[in-house]
Structures are given as structure tokens and as C-alpha cells.
Amino acid sequence: MIAACREHDPELWFSTDYAEQQQARDICVSCPMVQACAQAALERPDTVGVWASVPLSGYGSKRRSQVQRLYHIAKGGRPEIPPVTRMRLNATAARHLRDQGMRVSEIAERLQISLSTATRYLGMNTSTEGLSA
């Protein structure tokens, strides 16, 4: 198996730019090597950067929380899907379901999101397109 990060610029995982860190985390979420990556980070206590979708930075309780997430992943757990990624996935799913003819209220229920969030993801103007449409 090949790690997903091998196909991208390594600097992405060590960037101080939030958007680039988020991009690295998005790539890590579906990587088949995420457990090995978490284990490698745990073996290097002074590691910084994004490892197994966990941004390692900070000290004290913040760092302990990050290390706990790495332990969870190293033991077979999956990484958390970052909120921004979850929003993009839900927006894509909402558009796909709309294209299949599903109503906004059904999409909201299916994705377990609010009606206003589903409407926002679909880019609908609630004044011209009814929420029950």
C-alpha cells in the first residue's frame, strides 16, 4: 500500500497555513496507511505537522489531546473527519440527492442536517424556491 501523501507536496503537511493544513487533513482521512502514520508520529515525541489527519502543534493539554487522537487511530480507529471536510461532503451529497429528484426536506432528513443548512448547501434562494419543494 502507498500512503496518500506520497502523491502530494510534502510541504503541505508541515505548512503553517490553515487552509493547507486542512487540505493535508482531507487527504489523510481516506489514506490506507493512517494507522502506520499515527504510530510513526507517536514514536517521535517532538513531531510537528499533520500526521494521520491530526495537526500536531502546541503544548500542554492541547498536545495531550492531539496525542490521544493519534493513539486512537494507531489502535485501529479512524481519524475524525474535519468539520470543513464534512461540510463539503454533505454539500456534494445534497446536490447529488437533489439531482436524483429528492426534495429539500428529504435531503435534510437523510443527511441529518437542518432544513436551512440543506438549503444553503444547495445554493437555493428561499424566497424564490420553497423549502418544501
Side-chain angles (χ1 to χ4, degrees):
M1 278 188 253
I2 297 175
C5 58
R6 302 281 282 203
E7 299 174 6
H8 300 275
D9 180 7
E11 292 299 315
L12 198 59
W13 279 262
F14 300 97
S15 175
T16 57
D17 179 65
Y18 178 78
E20 289 181 350
Q21 287 179 358
Q22 191 63 47
Q23 186 179 354
R25 292 179 71 193
D26 289 352
I27 294 165
C28 290
V29 166
S30 61
C31 180
M33 300 298 293
V34 72
Q35 286 177 284
C37 181
Q39 188 60 47
L42 290 168
E43 292 169 2
R44 298 176 186 92
D46 57 342
T47 295
V48 295
V50 175
W51 292 78
S53 84
V54 177
L56 293 172
S57 62
Y59 300 94
S61 63
K62 181 178 181 180
R63 181 68 175 209
R64 281 191 297 275
S65 173
Q66 294 164 344
V67 169
Q68 286 175 343
R69 287 175 30 213
L70 285 173
Y71 274 116
H72 170 75
I73 294 166
K75 291 183 181 193
R78 292 302 303 166
E80 298 172 3
I81 299 176
V84 173
T85 304
R86 187 177 8 264
M87 287 173 23
R88 278 196 299 266
L89 292 172
N90 278 341
T92 301
R95 288 189 297 273
H96 177 73
L97 293 171
R98 179 197 54 204
D99 293 346
Q100 291 182 342
M102 194 175 279
R103 295 182 331 180
V104 178
S105 58
E106 295 170 327
I107 292 170
E109 185 176 331
R110 175 93 168 266
L111 297 177
Q112 298 180 350
I113 58 178
S114 71
L115 204 52
S116 62
T117 300
T119 302
R120 188 177 75 243
Y121 286 166
L122 295 170
M124 299 171 70
N125 180 347
T126 57
S127 64
T128 60
E129 300 181 54
L131 292 177
S132 61

